[in-house]
Amino acid sequence: MSNAIHATNLKIGYSSDSILAEINDLEIKQGEIVSIIGESGIGKTTFLKNIAHLVNPISGTLKVFDTEKAPDRGVIGYIPQKLGLIKHETVYSNVLEGAICNESIFRSISGFHEEKVVDKVKETIELMNLSDKIDEPIKRLSGGQQRRVAIARTIAQGSKLILADEFLSELDDKTVENVWKAMLDYVESDNITLVIVEHNIERAKLAKRCFKFEENKERNCSILSEVVA
């Protein structure tokens, strides 16, 4: 099975004078579901941003699908803590923003969307149990509903790798159960790699493998290691 993510001697942060974390050797296979835990500000979100090519590593090697180059449009789906939804637009329009990654640039700009794209939008909105909110503007939704819209947008994108930063927060226990099952069914059906950042240990245990960033005073940064059950 090929690697979805492979990091070697990786140092991350926002300045070479202040390294936030080190990842010495990490392999995540295609189709694996893993979680990353650790205290606030220790490097979890920064690592996801490095994988998503939103931030560059300070040094070392980070390969996503066997290349250090930024992947093609839509290959990586990212659910950030700050959801990045367009508040005055509807649920449908926001989820469509993910689905149009599968269209030509012309169709995306012109607004003449393929039937399969429209169907994908409606399907993922239904998957997140938001069909009754499809024409509602985001600003009228609760925090938990907005989070489900962000998840639907990423699923509609059809990514091979999904990076989810605290994506189950703001959801009640029953909704967490339903959303997790929907996400799990989706990624397992298409052999999609899922990496979740969690502060909630019980939620982190939902993943098949778990990694933890821990402070290393000798290195003056955090180190990522696998948690062995």
Side-chain angles (χ1 to χ4, degrees), residues 1-8 25-32 62-67 75 160-161 191 193 209:
M1 189 181 296
S2 60
N3 286 325
I5 300 167
H6 188 193
T8 308
D25 188 20
L26 171 68
E27 289 187 8
I28 298 174
K29 300 295 185 183
Q30 178 65 31
E32 280 198 297
L62 176 58
K63 292 184 177 181
V64 178
F65 299 116
D66 297 321
T67 179
V75 170
K160 293 169 60 181
L161 167 63
N191 199 37
T193 307
R209 297 169 69 197

Side-chain angles (χ1 to χ4, degrees), residues 163-190:
L163 309 173
D165 197 348
E166 305 278 5
F167 85 114
L168 296 173
S169 65
E170 299 182 281
L171 304 178
D172 59 67
D173 290 344
K174 183 61 177 177
T175 305
V176 165
E177 183 181 334
N178 292 338
V179 168
W180 177 255
K181 184 181 184 304
M183 178 66 88
L184 193 63
D185 289 346
Y186 171 70
V187 298
E188 288 185 339
S189 66
D190 281 340

Side-chain angles (χ1 to χ4, degrees), residues 62-226:
L62 176 58
K63 292 184 177 181
V64 178
F65 299 116
D66 297 321
T67 179
E68 293 184 72
K69 296 179 180 179
D72 292 337
R73 183 177 179 231
V75 170
I76 298 177
Y78 182 39
I79 308 172
Q81 287 185 43
K82 295 181 180 179
L83 303 174
L85 299 173
I86 305 170
K87 295 296 181 73
H88 64 276
E89 293 285 358
T90 64
V91 169
Y92 178 88
S93 295
N94 274 271
V95 177
L96 180 64
E97 288 296 316
I100 60 176
C101 286
N102 303 305
E103 286 190 314
S104 67
I105 297 296
F106 170 76
R107 281 190 176 273
S108 297
I109 294 173
S110 68
F112 294 104
H113 304 294
E114 297 176 74
E115 185 176 350
K116 66 178 182 180
V117 170
V118 174
D119 288 344
K120 186 67 174 179
V121 172
K122 293 178 179 178
E123 176 188 321
T124 52
I125 289 173
E126 183 178 358
L127 187 67
M128 289 295 111
N129 197 26
L130 288 166
S131 295
D132 61 330
K133 303 291 184 182
I134 193 167
D135 294 321
E136 285 285 328
I138 297 300
K139 61 186 178 183
R140 292 185 186 170
L141 303 183
S142 68
Q145 288 170 332
Q146 290 185 27
R147 190 156 295 277
R148 281 187 280 153
V149 174
I151 296 167
R153 178 185 59 189
T154 300
I155 290 177
Q157 191 173 319
S159 306
K160 293 169 60 181
L161 167 63
I162 295 177
L163 309 173
D165 197 348
E166 305 278 5
F167 85 114
L168 296 173
S169 65
E170 299 182 281
L171 304 178
D172 59 67
D173 290 344
K174 183 61 177 177
T175 305
V176 165
E177 183 181 334
N178 292 338
V179 168
W180 177 255
K181 184 181 184 304
M183 178 66 88
L184 193 63
D185 289 346
Y186 171 70
V187 298
E188 288 185 339
S189 66
D190 281 340
N191 199 37
I192 294 163
T193 307
L194 174 63
V195 180
I196 64 172
V197 159
E198 262 297 342
H199 72 278
N200 184 301
I201 302 300
E202 293 306 311
R203 291 177 183 174
K205 289 178 180 177
L206 294 170
K208 305 298 172 65
R209 297 169 69 197
C210 181
F211 295 85
K212 185 177 184 179
F213 277 110
E214 289 188 286
E215 194 67 34
N216 185 303
K217 292 183 179 179
E218 290 183 3
R219 303 290 296 173
N220 197 30
C221 66
S222 65
I223 305 291
L224 184 71
S225 58
E226 186 163 5

